[in-house]
Amino acid sequence: MDPKLLLCLPQGDELFNPLNTMFIQMACILVFSQLFYLLLKPCGQAGPVAQILAGIVLSPVLLSRIPKVKEFFLQKNAADYYSFFSFALRTSFMFLIGLEVDLHFMRRNFKKAAVITLSSFVVSGLLSFASLMLFIPLFGIKEDYFTFFLVLLVTLSNTASPVVVRSIADWKLNTCEIGRLTISCALFIELTNVVLYTIIMAFISGTIILELFLFLLATVALILINMVLAPWLPKRNPKEKYLSKAETLVFFIFLLIIGITIESYDVNSSVSVFTIGIMFPRQGKTHRTLIQRLSYPIHEFVLPVYFGYIGFRFSIIALTKRFYLGLVIIVVVTIIGKFIGVISACMYLKIPKKYWLFLPTILSVKGHVGLLLLDSNYSEKKWWTTTIHDMMVAALVITTLVSGVLASFLLKAREKDFAYEKTSLESHNTNEELRVLSCAYGVRHARGAISLVSALSGSRGASDPFTPLLMHLVPLPKKRKSELMYHEHDEDGGNANGDDEFGTNEGLEINDSIDSFAKDSKILIQQVKLVTQMLNMHEEICNATEDLRVSIVFLPFHKHQRIDGKTTNDGELFRQMNRNVLRHAPCSIGIFVDRNITGFQQPHGFDSVQHVAALFFGGPDDREALALCKWLANNTLIHLTVIQFVSEESKAETPVGNAMTRDNNEVFMEVLGRNQTEQETDRSFLEEFYNRFVTTGQVGFIEKLVSNGPHTLTILREIGEMYSLFVVGKSRGDCPMTVRMKDWEECPELGTVGDFLASSLDVNASVLVVQRQRHSHDSFIDD
């Protein structure tokens, strides 16, 4: 290539060379895509739709029909630049998708994703064969029917995983079950199509079996190199939060070398690059650095440009009537094939009907695999003409736009089906995924949160579906005017606005604690960061619980234990923040009083079994606390004992209020009926828990008869040093077993029992106070 082209120097009378025009075109795509996104966002449209429309605006259909614009954008040497830059973009985002993919979810739902992929592929294959019978006479194809069939099959069955990943993220579905299943299916379908694409290329260019074997060895070799470099590089500068840019560049150089080598043999490198990303070590500073350095530029620059380039390829000027007919047939058959294949799989897998329309619609979007196939060397095939090429590209673009628009309208029309479900742990089965968000201001709180994660995950790691998240809370100084919400950060708090210096020292220690825990337990804790003022922090935490779709949030208590065993108040602002979250949170809340010196320790790495007590008085909060203990019971490093407090008057209770007037009698009967219903619910829940865990010997059970509040306090003092952790509900209404305990409480947000356990000198254990999520008709009561 001429060096002048590489140096972006004009040749002769050309003011702009292809490289310059490519960058100007990218700038135009970004501008137009942002404009379309602002216009379409209120309608619920995802970013890829706006970005493809931006590309269409610049395509030969619209602006590039103007001779001067066409001459500027479509220069004779531009194809080489576009091809290489497209490869660089594709390599970067496929590697990032591999880094970000939820491996645990994909393993758990492998059968679902595989069945949906297979069903979709089979139906698309049958329809491709039927379409072939129509296209042979329509386009006058007289030879090599098999290759044309393969082209149709990949075109019809393909799903663009980058489009799906970006759309799901824009709709905030990437944390829910159906959103992650959609991403898994898209990846499975696309990888299948890449393999088929490779077979097509081998069929066209001759056998390349030896080369494929060498590429496989090179991919495995790079995976092994990454496994060595990833843990070694952070040791060179342990006090730095991220790797240096030079160290990060090493991974990209290796990645580009293997990608360019594979592509030079006309083989798609997407599978190798994605595999390298998905096999990259997940824990540690290296993975965090790559996510932090790649996320913003790829999501905000690379993907918009790439989607815009898909739209820029749209051209229907040269099509005649028969090719317009072929275009319509391909679009219709593609969507029908996805609907039949995916819905059939959903029926077999018993996926809820409310998702049956959304799944095939979003999985119909097309992308780079189809474009790569259409850009292949078909010079030896007489049927492969520029017109057929334009028709196929136009079909991909139109199908993607139609599917994206339909999917967004389905989401908007059935918003409740995809919204965050406010369910309590009481109705949560241990076979279902438990998503936990732990909040921490510093490393002291983070270690307590890690202890809870360790206890809930089980003794051999997360055997049941379990997703722990840790949110680093960084109070913003009042003099700062700008606020950075949690969703403006990546997993480690990196952001594009240069505010990563907030909480840097604490963040580094938190990272080290999480990395150490992940290394010992093989449990990955996802990290998010919230930088905002204390007055607004509870609102952002509540918003985060909905977007992250967590089942329970753990908050640190506003006091901590010193080395001498005494407690120190961290400040009333932290206490008020906890109270605000308790009032407004859309899920269950747990306040963790961490006595890290004398109380509960992290089970992983602890030498002996720890004793944990669940105190049950009755009421929704106590049931929620006991429901949380279902996950503790599965940890063999914890011996759980349920202590039920029973009132001595409960067996022969006389109605209170015999002197009530007739006017108040109906109100009294309503309250009495509600209390009886609550008692029945307590009894049935406790009986179910007893039959499942106590009768099998997993959990101990003790019943304590008490007469009043002082009697309860006496028992609590007696057992105060027998356990390392107490789990108790917050509120229980007018309970006779806690009467007169409010007289000396210090922290009403913990409830009467929780407050005593947290403040008593006779109790050395840690305390976890649980409040069930409040409904709109519930009133917030400081017990």
Side-chain angles (χ1 to χ4, degrees):
M1 186 177 290
D2 193 334
K4 290 184 178 181
L5 290 178
L6 293 176
L7 296 173
C8 303
L9 297 176
Q11 293 182 335
D13 297 331
E14 294 181 3
L15 179 62
F16 298 99
N17 64 43
L19 189 58
N20 283 331
T21 59
M22 183 182 67
F23 285 116
I24 295 175
Q25 182 189 25
M26 289 161 52
C28 293
I29 288 175
L30 291 173
V31 171
F32 280 112
S33 64
Q34 188 65 23
L35 178 63
F36 279 115
Y37 185 67
L38 292 175
L39 293 175
L40 297 176
K41 187 178 181 180
C43 304
Q45 298 298 327
V49 171
Q51 290 142 12
I52 292 174
L53 287 175
I56 292 176
V57 170
L58 298 175
S59 71
V61 176
L62 293 176
L63 289 183
S64 290
R65 296 192 68 174
I66 303 172
K68 289 292 184 181
V69 177
K70 181 179 180 180
E71 182 182 353
F72 175 72
F73 280 138
L74 302 176
Q75 298 182 28
K76 60 179 181 179
N77 295 326
D80 294 334
Y81 289 91
Y82 290 143
S83 177
F84 179 79
F85 200 72
S86 173
F87 156 74
L89 298 181
R90 187 175 73 249
T91 300
S92 62
F93 66 65
M94 288 305 294
F95 180 61
L96 179 63
I97 290 175
L99 288 175
E100 293 182 330
V101 72
D102 190 340
L103 278 175
H104 294 293
F105 182 86
M106 289 186 70
R107 290 193 191 106
R108 294 198 308 267
N109 294 273
F110 178 83
K111 178 184 176 182
K112 290 182 180 180
V115 169
I116 292 174
T117 300
L118 180 62
S119 177
S120 172
F121 199 76
V122 169
V123 174
S124 296
L126 295 175
L127 292 178
S128 297
F129 183 78
S131 301
L132 180 65
M133 299 298 102
L134 292 175
F135 289 148
I136 288 176
L138 185 63
F139 301 138
I141 300 174
K142 299 180 180 179
E143 61 178 4
D144 201 4
Y145 301 141
F146 181 68
T147 305
F148 189 73
F149 167 75
L150 291 177
V151 172
L152 280 176
L153 177 59
V154 173
T155 303
L156 267 61
S157 63
N158 176 40
T159 296
S161 60
V163 179
V164 173
V165 170
R166 187 66 257 169
S167 299
I168 293 295
D170 285 350
W171 291 324
K172 296 183 179 181
L173 298 178
N174 52 340
T175 54
C176 71
E177 193 87 5
I178 189 62
R180 288 178 291 167
L181 178 61
T182 304
I183 292 174
S184 300
C185 293
L187 289 170
F188 275 50
I189 293 173
E190 184 158 62
L191 294 177
T192 304
N193 276 276
V194 169
V195 173
L196 186 60
Y197 163 82
T198 304
I199 295 174
I200 292 175
M201 293 307 302
F203 185 80
I204 293 172
S205 59
T207 179
I208 54 171
I209 302 300
L210 179 60
E211 287 83 354
L212 291 178
F213 180 73
L214 293 176
F215 298 153
L216 178 62
L217 287 180
T219 302
V220 173
L222 185 54
I223 291 173
L224 295 177
I225 290 173
N226 288 338
M227 288 183 175
V228 174
L229 287 178
W232 177 74
L233 286 176
K235 297 177 182 178
R236 299 177 70 245
N237 296 296
K239 294 184 180 180
E240 296 294 331
K241 192 173 184 182
Y242 300 113
L243 297 182
S244 67
K245 294 179 180 178
E247 292 170 333
T248 307
L249 189 61
V250 171
F251 295 100
F252 294 116
I253 291 175
F254 285 142
L255 195 66
L256 287 175
I257 288 174
I258 193 172
I260 292 174
T261 303
I262 294 175
E263 295 279 343
S264 65
Y265 286 87
D266 290 330
V267 177
N268 189 0
S269 62
S270 295
V271 173
S272 293
V273 172
F274 175 77
T275 304
I276 292 168
I278 204 172
M279 295 299 294
F280 199 91
R282 294 304 173 105
Q283 68 270 15
K285 186 189 298 184
T286 304
H287 182 266
R288 249 191 324 271
T289 301
L290 291 175
I291 293 291
Q292 192 269 341
R293 298 264 164 84
L294 284 175
S295 293
Y296 183 80
I298 287 180
H299 290 308
E300 302 300 326
F301 172 72
V302 173
L303 287 179
V305 170
Y306 197 84
F307 297 148
Y309 178 62
I310 293 174
F312 182 74
R313 300 284 302 278
F314 183 76
S315 177
I316 57 174
I317 298 174
L319 301 187
T320 58
K321 289 184 179 179
R322 60 175 180 160
F323 290 104
Y324 277 117
L325 178 60
L327 172 62
V328 173
I329 290 174
I330 292 175
V331 173
V332 173
V333 169
T334 298
I335 296 177
I336 290 176
K338 287 294 182 185
F339 268 77
I340 295 175
V342 175
I343 291 178
S344 300
C346 290
M347 294 173 64
Y348 171 75
L349 296 169
K350 297 180 180 180
I351 294 176
K353 292 183 179 179
K354 59 185 178 181
Y355 303 133
W356 284 13
L357 293 179
F358 173 76
L359 262 176
T361 303
I362 190 60
L363 289 177
S364 297
V365 296
K366 309 298 178 184
H368 69 276
V369 172
L371 292 175
L372 286 171
L373 174 66
L374 300 179
D375 289 339
S376 302
N377 183 15
Y378 291 102
S379 57
E380 298 178 359
K381 311 300 177 183
K382 295 180 180 179
W383 50 263
W384 187 253
T385 63
T386 305
T387 309
I388 290 182
H389 175 273
D390 291 345
M391 178 194 69
M392 291 289 191
V393 172
L396 293 181
V397 175
I398 292 174
T399 303
T400 302
L401 287 176
V402 171
S403 302
V405 171
L406 284 177
S408 63
F409 280 122
L410 281 173
L411 285 175
K412 205 167 185 65
R414 308 185 67 175
E415 188 174 358
K416 291 183 179 179
D417 293 337
F418 297 87
Y420 170 61
E421 296 181 7
K422 301 178 180 180
T423 57
S424 62
L425 295 177
E426 184 180 346
S427 58
H428 201 103
N429 196 299
T430 53
N431 295 326
E432 300 173 357
E433 182 185 28
L434 178 66
R435 296 179 64 85
V436 172
L437 176 64
S438 302
C439 298
Y441 295 98
V443 66
R444 182 177 63 251
H445 301 138
R447 287 169 182 160
I450 291 173
S451 299
L452 289 178
V453 169
S454 176
L456 293 170
S457 63
S459 55
R460 293 175 298 276
S463 55
D464 293 324
F466 179 63
T467 302
L469 303 100
L470 189 140
M471 176 178 282
H472 183 194
L473 305 177
V474 183
L476 193 66
K478 293 184 178 179
K479 62 180 179 180
R480 297 279 304 186
K481 293 183 179 180
S482 63
E483 293 183 2
L484 298 170
M485 305 309 175
Y486 81 98
H487 50 76
E488 296 179 52
H489 298 265
D490 68 342
E491 283 187 338
D492 192 58
N495 62 81
N497 301 320
D499 289 271
D500 194 45
E501 68 272 12
F502 286 101
T504 299
N505 294 331
E506 289 283 0
L508 180 60
E509 294 181 8
I510 290 174
N511 292 342
D512 291 341
S513 298
I514 290 177
D515 293 343
S516 177
F517 172 71
K519 184 178 180 180
D520 295 336
S521 65
K522 309 302 179 185
I523 299 171
L524 298 179
I525 300 178
Q526 300 179 28
Q527 292 176 257
V528 289
K529 188 175 182 179
L530 172 60
V531 183
T532 185
Q533 293 184 1
M534 285 297 296
L535 293 176
N536 302 326
M537 189 169 284
H538 69 280
E539 297 178 1
E540 299 308 320
I541 292 175
C542 293
N543 292 336
T545 59
E546 294 190 0
D547 292 343
L548 298 174
R549 298 173 187 261
V550 297
S551 304
I552 186 169
V553 175
F554 293 126
L555 300 173
F557 190 47
H558 67 277
K559 297 180 181 180
H560 72 272
Q561 188 181 36
R562 301 186 315 201
I563 297 178
D564 58 4
K566 297 181 180 179
T567 58
T568 300
N569 195 330
D570 294 327
E572 288 300 311
L573 285 176
F574 298 102
R575 179 185 183 185
Q576 187 59 41
M577 200 282 295
N578 287 350
R579 292 168 64 90
N580 290 335
V581 174
L582 286 169
R583 286 189 175 92
H584 302 291
C587 67
S588 298
I589 300 294
I591 296 182
F592 185 45
V593 183
D594 183 21
R595 291 191 174 103
N596 58 311
I597 299 174
T598 60
F600 189 69
Q601 306 295 320
Q602 177 185 309
H604 286 93
F606 198 70
D607 296 334
S608 58
V609 175
Q610 298 184 82
H611 293 269
V612 177
L615 309 182
F616 189 85
F617 294 85
D621 290 348
D622 277 347
R623 292 198 303 271
E624 193 74 356
L626 191 57
L628 181 64
C629 291
K630 290 186 292 186
W631 282 269
L632 296 178
N634 291 325
N635 196 324
T636 56
L637 298 176
I638 291 176
H639 183 272
L640 176 66
T641 301
V642 177
I643 303 177
Q644 183 188 13
F645 288 78
V646 181
S647 175
E648 294 177 349
E649 300 177 358
S650 60
K651 296 181 180 179
E653 186 176 2
T654 56
V656 179
N658 289 334
M660 295 181 66
T661 61
R662 185 177 302 229
D663 294 336
N664 294 328
N665 197 38
E666 293 183 3
V667 177
F668 170 73
M669 293 301 295
E670 182 182 351
V671 173
L672 184 61
R674 186 161 58 240
N675 289 337
Q676 290 176 345
T677 304
E678 197 70 38
Q679 292 173 4
E680 287 296 325
T681 306
D682 291 340
R683 188 179 295 108
S684 62
F685 178 77
L686 195 59
E687 182 179 350
E688 179 185 352
F689 186 93
Y690 188 94
N691 293 333
R692 180 178 176 182
F693 295 102
V694 179
T695 56
T696 59
Q698 282 183 268
V699 177
F701 186 85
I702 300 174
E703 187 177 277
K704 296 286 187 180
L705 289 176
V706 294
S707 56
N708 51 33
H711 190 187
T712 301
L713 292 180
T714 302
I715 295 177
L716 292 178
R717 289 191 182 97
E718 292 175 355
I719 64 176
E721 296 184 358
M722 297 172 58
Y723 302 94
S724 61
L725 174 66
F726 287 101
V727 183
V728 64
K730 174 183 174 291
S731 302
R732 52 198 54 83
D734 296 327
C735 177
M737 294 176 286
T738 58
V739 172
R740 293 167 54 190
M741 289 178 62
K742 288 184 180 181
D743 297 342
W744 50 80
E745 68 179 356
E746 297 178 10
C747 304
E749 66 271 17
L750 297 180
T752 51
V753 178
D755 176 69
F756 172 78
L757 294 172
S759 58
S760 176
L761 298 177
D762 299 321
V763 179
N764 295 320
S766 301
V767 183
L768 179 61
V769 179
V770 179
Q771 174 188 282
R772 193 186 71 170
Q773 55 101 5
R774 299 298 193 223
H775 299 284
S776 57
H777 59 271
D778 292 336
S779 59
F780 180 80
I781 303 174
D782 287 335
D783 193 20

